[in-house]
Amino acid sequence: MACCGSCLCCQCCCCTEGETRTPEELTILGETREDEDEILPRKDYESLDYDRCINEPYVEVLEGLDNKKAKKYEAVKWMLVFAIGVSTGLIGVFVDFFVRLFTQLKFRLVGQSVEECSENGCLALSLVELLAFNMAFVFIASILVLIEPVAAGSGIPEIKSYLNGVKIPGIVRLRTFLCKAVGVLFAVAGGLFVGKEGPMIHSGAIVGAGLPQFQSITFKKIRFQFPYFRSDRDKRDFVSAGAAAGVAAAFGAPIGGTLFSLEEGSSFWNQALTWKVLFCSMSATFTLNFFRSGINYNKWGSFQLPGLLNFGEFKCPDGDKNCHLWTAVDLAFFVLMGVVGGLLGAMFNCINKRLAKYRMRNVHPKAKFIRVLESLLVCMVTSVVVFMASMTLGECRDLASPTANNTTAIVSANEDVNSSIRQFFCSNKTYNDMATLFFNPQEIAIHQLFHQDATFSPVTLSLFFVLYFLLSCWTYGVSVPSGLFVPSLLCGASLGRLVANVLKMNLGMHIYSGTFALIGAAAFLGGVVRMTISLTVILIESTNEITYGLPIMITLMVAKWTGDFFNKGIYDIHIHLRGVPLLEWETEVEMDKLTASDIMEPNLTYVYPHTRIQSLVSILRTTVYHAFPVVTENREYEKEFMKGNILVSNNIKFKKTSVLTRAGEQRRRCQSMKSYPSSELRNVCDEQVGVEPTEEGQDMLQQMLERRHVPYPNLYPDQSPSEEWSMEERFRPLTFHGLILRSQLVNLLIRGVCYAENQSSASQPRLSYAEMTEDYPRFPDIHDLDLALLNPRMIVDVTPYMNSSPYSVSPNTHVSQVFNLFRTMGLRHLPVVNAVGEIVGIITRHNLTHEFLMAKLRQHYITI
């Protein structure tokens, strides 16, 4: 009783009143709590396997691979990388062309209506026209998301999860790509505060995943006999290249795209992959640049528009020697802006997280048309706010305020400054500054904030920031394809421009307003997404001004540190809300108090090297595991068992042949050395080889290798695991030989790979590597198997197809070592094997998530 009381006391002390636990932690600790603030239950996502399965079919492929074939294989890989980059660039051209077409049509007609109705008093008709355009476009985008729900949002959280090693259903399908690419252009043209840059990253990743496969699940007729790159390892490499190409096409930043894939996605990286990803990003950038320059300027071959979003050229007016882009004194203000951007970003993420949780509980469980209604509601409110703010809150500014040298940088090069300003309710020589920001595409509004000089009043900038902040926060998460980069940049640019106006007007400082607008955009975007390395390079490449490197880097670092004090980045928040088991870069220091034996799963479901079909079917139909250890039992009196059952005899023989001893290895090497022509080698071998051990001596050697013989019940391999097993039956000593995947077992059953009991295992049909991977990535399910076609008494020899050399760890390995091995090598399953080769547990991705480790750490504290 005293012990129980002390444990209870420790448990109470370990968890303070203000501390919250996830549902997974509460389940592990045996506690329950009904709390509306807790996230929804985690889902069982399937992991990807970056490690290669080294089995006999794969080894046969390696043996037939010479240098010439290897170079040909590498050349095909480079061609595919180039094709991915070109395709992603063409997608950007398609999206940009139709967004510009629909947006210009809408703004031209609505603008003409406003100008006419401002004199005739029919502004309500202009609002109806704006609502008709926007709601029609948004309705189409929402319908496309209903067809493929994964197409909603930016897609960056899903791609980040995929590159981290988590398979999210439907994320890289062709149908998702079509809904994403078409839906985002209607969402942007529909006036929602969303960007097309995030979906471009998702679209590029889908191209990278699908193009090298030469087949489609959506369109089953698209199928070519291309047996290469049929593994998660190759697919993740191509997805990394496609995501980088999407960033490069969106911002004209090939180096930033490469760093984005490295920083935000892939857990495994090497030099060869870096070079391929950079080449893919360059291909996407120059493809987009070539076609956009030709379409917009009609000058084919001139490269003047490197990305979908271009910040323009930052330079001081000619002849102004007192003008500097930034000075050392400005760094202090940049740091303060980074702090403010981090605080505002944390607030943005907090509000959006609550909205997302509300949608997950109250909108998504209902009928699908409710999601469409929500999108239309957001569109209607946004349109009304934009219209009313432009009509009533804008100020009339003088057209002559921009300088002559600076005017050409206001808009993109093919547009005149007069075409981007809006004179709603203002005289001929003035224009409405609020309408100029709201009634233009977001990219043009960013140009205006970056490059116009003293054209927006502080009140207008303040109101614009507040409205854009709230509406973009509400919009991100509705059922339309939507990006977050451009709305965040526009929000931050207005804030930075406001700071520049205050410093100029109130303090009389001589500063360059465009620099403060850029730093404000970087601060707010960094506070929302919490990216540092890649975002710094992306912004530098977008500005084409290397001198901005230091202030942008400092601002992003301060914004990230400030925001991380309150919550995570927006993408990590949405990943967490979906229950994706994302692995961070490293574990916390205190996690080393745990070992592999503390976090592993000891309750194993396993198969034998030779197992009957009825046992395999039973295991596959009654479990959800994706891999099974291949084991043999440590039996006493093995000779008697070998005489009684051919199945047990085959398993024991396999066990004996797989045991490697120093004496046996030396005998094998000596036999090989005897064939050498050198008499000296033969003499050395003869000196070291003594009397051949007898069969009884071999049995004694085998017994010495085994840790113990215990009287556990010996279960025949034709019996499937049962819930009625005793503790001794469930946890008896098992010698570990390898891992075999569920998909491999199902494939063997479907293709009839088995042999009869009165036959030798050599009579079993053999499958090639191409046959084993033919159905990738959609392997058949065990429930699709026609059991009437199977003979339950037939035996399957799984040893040629199992991974006989997987990575494994000792039970005493510290968690940090386990985590680094699992993450850097991109593993899916990590067996825990003791000193005598017995498997004692297995570790998967879910055993290494932060929530699971924290729960185990609390359990460790309670125990001690």
Side-chain angles (χ1 to χ4, degrees):
M1 293 295 293
C3 180
C4 295
S6 62
C7 291
L8 182 60
C9 180
C10 293
Q11 185 173 357
C12 294
C13 294
C14 289
C15 185
T16 60
E17 290 183 1
E19 192 172 5
T20 60
R21 292 174 178 168
T22 64
E24 185 176 1
E25 296 175 13
L26 297 174
T27 303
I28 294 174
L29 296 178
E31 303 175 11
T32 56
R33 179 188 298 174
E34 295 294 335
D35 191 352
E36 291 296 327
D37 292 334
E38 297 294 341
I39 63 172
L40 297 183
R42 301 177 64 88
K43 297 180 180 179
D44 185 20
Y45 287 101
E46 183 179 351
S47 297
L48 300 171
D49 200 348
Y50 202 76
D51 185 32
R52 297 191 186 278
C53 180
I54 309 298
N55 52 19
E56 291 187 10
Y58 181 77
V59 172
E60 291 175 358
V61 173
L62 292 181
E63 291 176 351
L65 189 66
D66 54 13
N67 291 334
K68 186 176 181 180
K69 292 182 178 179
K71 291 180 179 179
K72 182 180 179 181
Y73 178 86
E74 190 69 13
V76 172
K77 212 168 188 178
W78 279 99
M79 292 174 60
L80 288 173
V81 166
F82 176 74
I84 292 170
V86 172
S87 301
T88 305
L90 292 176
I91 294 167
V93 174
F94 168 80
V95 172
D96 178 71
F97 176 80
F98 283 100
V99 166
R100 291 170 60 86
L101 179 65
F102 294 152
T103 304
Q104 290 176 356
L105 174 64
K106 179 185 69 174
F107 283 140
R108 185 174 68 251
L109 294 179
V110 175
Q112 292 175 357
S113 176
V114 170
E115 292 177 357
E116 295 175 359
C117 290
S118 60
E119 300 177 357
N120 301 331
C122 57
L123 286 177
L125 181 61
S126 302
L127 177 59
V128 171
E129 290 183 6
L130 180 64
L131 285 173
F133 273 110
N134 288 346
M135 296 186 73
F137 291 151
V138 173
F139 178 76
I140 297 174
S142 298
I143 293 298
L144 291 173
V145 171
L146 287 188
I147 298 174
E148 185 54 72
V150 186
S154 66
I156 296 180
E158 291 81 4
I159 296 303
K160 182 177 179 178
S161 301
Y162 187 92
L163 294 178
N164 192 262
V166 183
K167 181 180 181 180
I168 299 179
I171 194 63
V172 290
R173 293 185 61 180
L174 179 60
R175 186 169 64 182
T176 305
F177 164 74
L178 296 176
C179 295
K180 194 85 173 186
V182 178
V184 67
L185 67 89
F186 283 108
V188 175
L192 293 179
F193 291 168
V194 298
K196 53 182 178 291
E197 285 70 24
M200 271 299 302
I201 300 173
H202 188 186
S203 300
I206 298 175
V207 173
L211 190 61
Q213 302 297 315
F214 289 95
Q215 65 178 8
S216 170
I217 298 174
T218 304
F219 302 100
K220 299 185 182 299
K221 293 184 178 180
I222 303 178
R223 188 179 184 90
F224 300 94
Q225 296 298 328
F226 191 75
Y228 306 104
F229 313 120
R230 299 288 186 181
S231 66
D232 290 340
R233 183 188 186 94
D234 294 322
K235 193 171 185 178
R236 284 176 66 185
D237 287 349
F238 286 121
V239 170
S240 299
V247 176
F251 298 98
I255 301 176
T258 304
L259 293 177
F260 174 85
S261 288
L262 174 61
E263 179 184 8
E264 291 296 314
S266 298
S267 57
F268 181 84
W269 202 264
N270 55 36
Q271 184 178 5
L273 181 59
T274 304
W275 186 229
K276 291 184 178 67
V277 170
L278 180 60
F279 178 68
C280 185
S281 301
M282 287 288 185
S283 304
T285 300
F286 284 97
T287 300
L288 180 73
N289 199 341
F290 175 80
F291 282 97
R292 285 195 71 205
S293 301
I295 293 174
N296 296 338
Y297 294 161
N298 199 22
K299 295 181 180 179
W300 297 94
S302 64
F303 298 91
Q304 302 180 16
L305 295 175
L308 296 179
L309 179 63
N310 186 23
F311 292 163
E313 184 179 2
F314 290 80
K315 65 177 182 179
C316 292
D318 296 335
D320 190 356
K321 297 182 179 180
N322 295 325
C323 176
H324 302 281
L325 293 181
W326 65 279
T327 63
V329 178
D330 297 336
L331 286 176
F333 295 102
F334 296 161
V335 171
L336 294 177
M337 291 174 66
V339 174
V340 175
L343 293 174
L344 292 174
M347 182 187 300
F348 184 96
N349 294 351
C350 181
I351 298 174
N352 188 263
K353 179 180 179 180
R354 292 185 177 275
L355 287 172
K357 291 166 69 173
Y358 177 82
R359 290 188 178 104
M360 295 172 71
R361 291 193 177 104
N362 300 285
V363 177
H364 294 175
K366 296 182 180 179
K368 291 185 177 181
F369 74 91
I370 299 297
R371 304 183 188 183
V372 179
L373 294 180
E374 184 198 15
S375 302
L376 294 177
L377 175 63
V378 174
C379 175
M380 182 181 67
V381 173
T382 301
S383 302
V384 172
V385 169
V386 166
F387 190 86
M388 298 303 297
S390 301
M391 299 302 109
T392 60
L393 301 179
E395 295 186 13
C396 294
R397 312 291 292 181
D398 191 357
L399 278 173
S401 57
T403 61
N405 295 325
N406 198 22
T407 304
T408 55
I410 295 176
V411 292
S412 54
N414 66 322
E415 292 182 348
D416 185 57
V417 62
N418 294 325
S419 64
S420 66
I421 62 173
R422 301 293 179 236
Q423 293 181 315
F424 297 163
F425 304 104
C426 294
S427 60
N428 291 333
K429 294 184 179 182
T430 59
Y431 66 95
N432 190 324
D433 58 353
M434 183 72 78
T436 300
L437 292 176
F438 273 132
F439 273 82
N440 273 310
Q442 297 175 95
E443 291 80 5
I444 294 180
I446 291 176
H447 268 271
Q448 293 168 336
L449 292 171
F450 281 172
H451 299 294
Q452 283 199 34
D453 187 25
T455 55
F456 302 99
S457 68
V459 176
T460 297
L461 292 173
S462 301
L463 292 174
F464 178 82
F465 171 77
V466 172
L467 294 176
Y468 221 93
F469 179 93
L470 295 176
L471 289 175
S472 60
C473 185
W474 185 22
T475 304
Y476 188 72
V478 298
S479 294
V480 295
S482 57
L484 195 60
F485 275 92
V486 170
S488 299
L489 288 172
L490 190 51
C491 247
S494 63
L495 182 63
R497 192 59 183 266
L498 175 63
V499 173
N501 285 4
V502 172
L503 293 178
K504 275 188 171 183
M505 296 170 58
N506 297 348
L507 301 182
M509 297 181 62
H510 191 76
I511 60 175
Y512 186 76
S513 301
T515 299
F516 279 78
L518 174 65
I519 296 301
F524 186 79
L525 180 59
V528 172
V529 301
R530 312 289 165 80
M531 294 161 52
T532 52
I533 303 174
S534 57
L535 188 56
T536 300
V537 178
I538 287 172
L539 293 178
I540 293 174
E541 290 185 281
S542 298
T543 58
N544 198 24
E545 184 60 57
I546 191 62
T547 57
Y548 280 138
L550 179 61
I552 289 176
M553 182 177 64
I554 292 176
T555 303
L556 290 177
M557 289 173 59
V558 174
K560 175 178 170 57
W561 291 341
T562 304
D564 286 343
F565 187 78
F566 298 96
N567 50 33
K568 294 184 178 181
I570 188 67
Y571 300 135
D572 291 330
I573 287 176
H574 281 264
I575 289 172
H576 180 71
L577 288 176
R578 299 188 182 190
V580 178
L582 190 76
L583 298 185
E584 302 294 338
W585 280 102
E586 57 186 4
T587 60
E588 299 177 2
V589 177
E590 60 179 350
M591 295 301 174
D592 264 346
K593 297 175 182 178
L594 301 175
T595 61
S597 59
D598 295 323
I599 65 173
M600 69 181 184
E601 173 57 50
N603 192 6
L604 303 175
T605 300
Y606 48 84
V607 298
Y608 295 93
H610 301 264
T611 309
R612 295 195 190 277
I613 287 181
Q614 64 180 9
S615 178
L616 291 179
V617 171
S618 176
I619 292 173
L620 293 172
R621 292 177 70 92
T622 57
T623 63
V624 294
Y625 303 121
H626 296 287
F628 304 93
V630 181
V631 301
T632 53
E633 299 180 24
N634 291 337
R635 298 176 180 271
E636 193 175 6
Y637 310 114
E638 291 181 339
K639 291 183 180 180
E640 298 181 5
F641 281 98
M642 293 177 66
K643 298 176 181 178
N645 189 294
I646 184 63
L647 190 57
V648 176
S649 175
N650 287 342
N651 286 322
I652 294 177
K653 288 179 180 178
F654 174 79
K655 174 186 174 182
K656 285 180 174 294
T657 57
S658 63
V659 172
L660 178 65
T661 64
R662 288 192 296 166
E665 179 64 13
Q666 185 62 27
R667 286 195 299 271
R668 186 189 67 81
R669 292 186 181 184
C670 288
Q671 292 294 331
S672 176
M673 292 167 69
K674 285 182 178 181
S675 62
Y676 284 19
S678 173
S679 59
E680 184 178 350
L681 289 178
R682 291 198 299 269
N683 294 336
V684 171
C685 182
D686 293 337
E687 290 175 1
Q688 293 184 353
V689 177
V691 181
E692 289 290 328
T694 61
E695 185 177 354
E696 182 178 357
Q698 290 182 355
D699 290 340
M700 291 296 295
L701 179 62
Q702 181 66 31
Q703 293 179 16
M704 291 172 63
L705 291 173
E706 295 178 357
R707 184 179 65 180
R708 62 186 182 277
H709 290 291
V710 291
Y712 291 159
N714 289 304
L715 198 67
Y716 284 100
D718 55 357
Q719 298 178 357
S720 59
S722 172
E723 295 294 335
E724 299 177 356
W725 281 3
S726 64
M727 185 67 71
E728 289 78 10
E729 291 174 321
R730 189 175 297 277
F731 296 100
R732 61 186 173 277
L734 299 169
T735 301
F736 178 69
H737 299 287
L739 280 176
I740 189 163
L741 301 177
R742 167 183 287 269
S743 58
Q744 293 173 329
L745 290 177
V746 175
N747 199 6
L748 294 179
L749 294 177
I750 289 180
R751 296 180 181 272
V753 179
C754 56
Y755 66 95
E757 190 169 0
N758 58 356
Q759 296 177 336
S760 170
S761 60
S763 63
Q764 176 176 278
R766 299 295 298 271
L767 294 183
S768 64
Y769 181 77
E771 292 174 323
M772 291 292 296
T773 59
E774 181 180 358
D775 296 320
Y776 180 85
R778 291 286 189 272
F779 291 104
D781 187 74
I782 185 61
H783 298 285
D784 301 330
L785 186 62
D786 188 1
L787 300 180
L789 302 177
L790 299 177
N791 183 354
R793 301 300 298 174
M794 298 288 282
I795 302 173
V796 179
D797 180 11
V798 302
T799 56
Y801 309 101
M802 70 179 183
N803 186 0
S804 58
S805 55
Y807 290 97
S808 61
V809 293
S810 165
N812 298 323
T813 308
H814 288 284
V815 163
S816 61
Q817 295 173 291
V818 175
F819 186 90
N820 291 335
L821 175 64
F822 195 97
R823 193 187 193 283
T824 55
M825 300 311 300
L827 304 181
R828 187 177 182 182
H829 306 91
L830 184 60
V832 182
V833 182
N834 62 16
V836 294
E838 295 171 354
I839 185 169
V840 295
I842 197 166
I843 295 175
T844 63
R845 172 176 292 268
H846 292 276
N847 301 109
L848 294 172
T849 58
H850 178 74
E851 297 83 1
F852 188 89
L853 292 179
M854 288 299 298
K856 285 296 184 180
L857 187 61
R858 289 194 179 100
Q859 195 175 30
H860 173 75
Y861 287 143
I862 294 173
T863 303
I864 63 177

